[in-house]
Amino acid sequence: MKVSVIGVGAVGGFIATKLQHHTSNSVQLVVKPNSPILLDPHLHLNNGEQPVSVSFENVTADLQDVDGDVIFMTTKSTSNLDIFRALSHLQHKTFILLQNGIGAESQLARYVDKTNTIIGAISHIKVSFDREHHRVNCHNQLFNCVYADASGDSSPDVLEPLLSHIFDDVQKKENIFAARFPKLMVSISCNAASLLFDACMHQLYQRKECRELILALSHEVITVAAKFGVTLSIEDIENILQLFEAPQYQGVYFSMKEDHDKGLALEVDGIYRSFIDLSRQVKVQVPETKKVLERLLQLNTRLSCST
Ligand SMILES: NC(=O)c1ccc[n+]([C@@H]2O[C@H](COP(=O)([O-])OP(=O)(O)OC[C@H]3O[C@@H](n4cnc5c(N)ncnc54)[C@H](OP(=O)(O)O)[C@@H]3O)[C@@H](O)[C@H]2O)c1
């Protein structure tokens, strides 16, 4: 089987390295035209155990060349529309969108043929990518994957073994909302607190202002998720915050804070706007999320003006 990985950064690099190291699948890397991986197609994975180094024979910067039977989408969701448009010719593929947020699967379904299967997936891994050394660094050992079919029916005989080569714990949910809402609660609440209060993951539970914002935003996600048949509780987010008290999370930030500091676009559409759209569909008010979105957009506008 051939697997393509579109977006070889932290998550894509992790997936590609694991597949290349542990399977006989042919792995195609899909990068941007300015990527150093085109000239030096090696990746290294540092996950706290024995470091792994692998090389790749198939690297492309042309989305028209994408030909995996399974295609992982691991770019930031800010690039989605351009990429989705460029993939509209593909048929009979299985797309796995391993991105944060909600709603990208139905967006992709509008661009590609109905013969494709679209899967949404999340993981609690925390990884970063050292561009200079082509190295993926793992900041935790939460190598889980929760996924669900969003359109079409995936074959468990193909997918489960593939995902099990990458992740230690693979779980299929009954629908895309059940797969996405639990992580969305973390993304919405913790990204906001991390960025607006300049707090690393370790500080999110300890600092009162972070905790209060996280609980207020989580409460809104819990209310909306319930309307979509997904049961979440405040204890779920409290348990996650307590995990962040471990020393390895000191000085490690949520991705939106990292993107902001690097001057990159923020994943606000995929995480906040899509959630607000869903809240409208089920007629639930989410004032705290809307306020936070405004503050994040103001920060981002100031950033664009100053660069
Ligand atoms: N990092 C984590 O720990 C983590 C954990 C769970 C979920 N996530 C989610 O996973 C997704 C990916 O995050 P990430 O941290 O892996 O991001 P990342 O490190 O920035 O990787 C994304 C990669 O995609 C590349 N890219 C952008 N546009 C592209 C295009 N048109 N064609 C090919 N490649 C393209 C980027 O290249 P450039 O750098 O040159 O732009 C970058 O190498 C996000 O939705 C994130 O929220 C991340």
Side-chain angles (χ1 to χ4, degrees), residues 6-11 30-32 74-77 79 83 98-100 123 125-127 131 183 255 267:
I6 305 180
V8 186
V11 175
V30 187
V31 298
K32 292 213 299 210
T74 49
T75 55
K76 289 270 164 58
S77 55
S79 312
I83 297 176
L98 220 160
Q99 300 175 319
N100 284 332
S123 172
I125 51 169
K126 179 65 191 165
V127 275
R131 260 176 88 96
K183 178 82 191 274
S255 60
E267 291 186 295

Side-chain angles (χ1 to χ4, degrees), residues 278-296:
L278 287 179
S279 75
R280 271 196 207 104
Q281 275 180 38
V282 292
K283 299 186 174 42
V284 171
Q285 300 295 321
V286 290
E288 295 301 325
T289 310
K290 285 182 178 171
K291 250 189 275 172
V292 154
L293 174 60
E294 282 305 311
R295 289 173 70 188
L296 294 174

Side-chain angles (χ1 to χ4, degrees), residues 2-9 12 16 27-33 35 37-38 56 58-68 70-75 83 87:
K2 185 161 184 177
V3 181
S4 301
V5 180
I6 305 180
V8 186
V27 181
Q28 177 186 47
L29 304 183
V30 187
V31 298
K32 292 213 299 210
S35 169
I37 295 172
L38 278 168
F56 296 83
N58 189 344
V59 185
T60 181
D62 187 347
L63 288 162
Q64 297 304 307
D65 289 344
V66 172
D67 61 356
V70 174
I71 300 169
F72 282 93
M73 276 280 313
T74 49
T75 55
I83 297 176
L87 299 176

